[in-house]
Amino acid sequence: MLVGLVFATEDAEDRPDALAATLPFGGATLIEYQARLLAAVGVGHLLVAVSRVTPALLGATSRIASRGVTVDVVRSAEEAAAKVHPLAQVIVVADALVTTDAVIEWIASETHEALLVTRDGDGSVGIERVDNAHSWAGLARVPAARLADVASLPVDYDFQSTLLRQAVAARAVQLLLPPATGRTRHGVERNAAALLRRSKSVLAALGDRRTAWTDRFIFTPITGWTLPHLVARGVPAWAATVAGGAFGFASIILLAMLMPAAGLATSLVGIAALSTGSMLSWLRGEDRLARAQERVIQVISAIAVVLTGVVVTRISGGGTGLVLAMATIACAVLLERTPVPRRRWWATPAAHPLILLPAAIVGHPVVGLGLSALYALASIGAAIEAIREKP
């Protein structure tokens, strides 16, 4: 059982009336972003350690709780220890820490008590020294018993620092944070302006977890560039859904007018909008909308393939194009239902319009349909082999 412990005790440097944890980040607040990352690794119970409670903090914790996470605000290690199951593992997040989902997943996947550390002199920001060569990087995984150890000490001890000391004394495994990550995407920020600058790099990194080649080389770079701008302007996630749907509808019209190149290009614009919107929805805790946007991507891709087959059939008078299109869709549906981890080269719904577009541009969409069908068939074949290897 994983429990999150987020510290929200320090004031913002440029806003003394506000806690650093409640500074704007990612269209919400920093603590909501931290809670979002923790929820993504399976944390269903969040402890928020505070020295004072502000209206902004109450609002943030209420929004976190509305997304299905149990939230308890605690003022001491004794309160925290009383709220946690004795066998729970606690993911500790330092006050005002900005990080990425990949780093959170790393610390959460550890099976032993662990501390994330930085090496002195590598340019990464350390919070507190743990030995003569390393400093704490703001994340830890500790057993619930460690909270009880801190609770047994004098109450005037700093909760966060003492918890770190107890983990070091227990010989927690030290995980070294890569220097490049620490310089750009990981660190403590209590200044609103500095937090905004760092957020652009962190938000751009959110799409890095998508491993398919279509995402890695096409849609993730687009998301990385557009997402910080959308967040900075407060664009709602549903706006991306509307934009994606509009481009998808326009692609249908263009394909119906026997303009396959223009139609496929327009469908890809719609898919890019929905891909960015899905990430924006995830960031703001709108999981249902994010899943809906991913499904719309599948629908637009399927319609683009089928209508391209219809276009080829109408132009040539034969049924080859439509047969190839239906074969592609059948293989794609089966691939989506196979219970195996996706490999980078496997087909995704968005890959098929990408394959069709160059062939349509040069005037041979039937070639694109043939390549798309072969690609889908090779992907489902590889998935079946993977199931056979690991039944």
Side-chain angles (χ1 to χ4, degrees), residues 65-390:
S66 69
R67 295 165 189 157
V69 178
T70 302
V71 181
D72 285 314
V73 176
V74 298
R75 294 180 179 272
S76 65
E78 185 177 5
E79 287 186 32
K83 297 285 187 180
V84 177
H85 190 281
L87 300 180
Q89 292 291 313
V90 183
I91 308 298
V92 182
V93 181
D95 193 292
L97 180 72
V98 181
T99 189
T100 65
D101 52 349
V103 178
I104 291 287
E105 287 179 12
W106 183 22
I107 196 77
S109 65
E110 282 295 309
T111 57
H112 303 286
E113 188 168 1
L115 298 173
L116 190 66
V117 300
T118 63
R119 185 179 288 111
D120 293 346
D122 67 3
S124 301
V125 178
I127 297 173
E128 185 175 342
R129 185 176 293 279
V130 297
D131 56 35
N132 61 355
H134 300 93
S135 297
W136 187 41
L139 284 174
R141 177 184 173 123
V142 300
R146 209 61 63 225
L147 299 178
D149 293 341
V150 177
S152 66
L153 298 173
V155 294
D156 57 344
Y157 283 18
D158 181 78
F159 186 3
Q160 178 176 291
S161 180
T162 306
L163 182 58
L164 172 63
R165 294 295 116 206
Q166 290 294 319
V168 172
R171 300 184 180 277
V173 175
Q174 295 187 7
L175 307 176
L176 186 62
L177 180 72
T181 300
R183 284 191 292 268
T184 60
R185 299 175 176 179
H186 183 99
V188 170
E189 292 291 359
R190 296 192 177 94
N191 181 281
L195 184 62
L196 178 61
R197 289 193 296 270
R198 186 180 287 270
S199 70
K200 294 180 179 180
S201 176
V202 173
L203 294 177
L206 289 178
D208 290 348
R209 306 300 290 166
R210 295 171 168 176
T211 57
W213 68 269
T214 50
D215 291 316
R216 196 72 169 176
F217 302 111
I218 306 295
F219 298 112
T220 291
I222 295 173
T223 299
W225 185 82
T226 57
L227 190 58
H229 297 286
L230 296 178
V231 168
R233 289 165 174 76
V235 176
W238 59 261
T241 307
V242 173
F247 279 107
F249 183 71
S251 71
I252 294 174
I253 295 175
L254 290 170
L255 287 166
M257 296 171 61
L258 303 184
M259 301 172 64
L264 289 167
T266 304
S267 72
L268 287 171
V269 175
I271 290 170
L274 290 164
S275 177
T276 301
S278 175
M279 190 59 65
L280 183 61
S281 300
W282 180 90
L283 180 64
R284 292 175 174 169
E286 301 173 2
D287 289 348
R288 185 175 299 177
L289 181 57
R291 289 191 295 268
Q293 288 164 328
E294 294 292 338
R295 286 193 292 270
V296 175
I297 289 175
Q298 296 174 350
V299 171
I300 290 177
S301 300
I303 291 174
V305 171
V306 171
L307 289 183
T308 302
V310 172
V311 169
V312 171
T313 297
R314 290 175 62 184
I315 293 175
S316 65
T320 302
L322 192 56
V323 170
L324 290 173
M326 297 310 296
T328 300
I329 298 301
C331 291
V333 170
L334 291 174
L335 181 61
E336 288 298 310
R337 296 186 63 83
T338 52
V340 292
R342 298 294 186 266
R343 296 179 183 173
R344 177 171 295 184
W345 68 269
W346 287 4
T348 61
H352 300 295
L354 280 170
I355 294 173
L356 293 174
L357 180 59
I361 290 174
V362 299
H364 297 287
V366 68
V367 175
L369 286 169
L371 293 174
S372 184
L374 288 174
Y375 182 32
L377 181 61
S379 298
I380 188 61
I384 292 172
E385 287 302 312
I387 294 175
R388 290 181 61 191
E389 293 170 4
K390 299 178 181 179

Side-chain angles (χ1 to χ4, degrees), residues 9-67:
T9 57
E10 300 295 327
D11 290 339
E13 294 177 353
D14 52 347
R15 300 182 185 180
D17 59 332
L19 294 170
T22 61
L23 289 174
F25 187 92
T29 60
L30 179 55
I31 192 171
E32 288 177 78
Y33 173 73
Q34 294 169 331
R36 189 69 184 138
L37 296 182
L38 290 171
V41 297
V43 169
H45 183 194
L46 182 67
L47 302 176
V48 181
V50 303
S51 56
R52 63 188 178 95
V53 177
T54 65
L57 182 64
L58 282 176
T61 54
S62 296
R63 288 189 293 271
I64 294 169
S66 69
R67 295 165 189 157

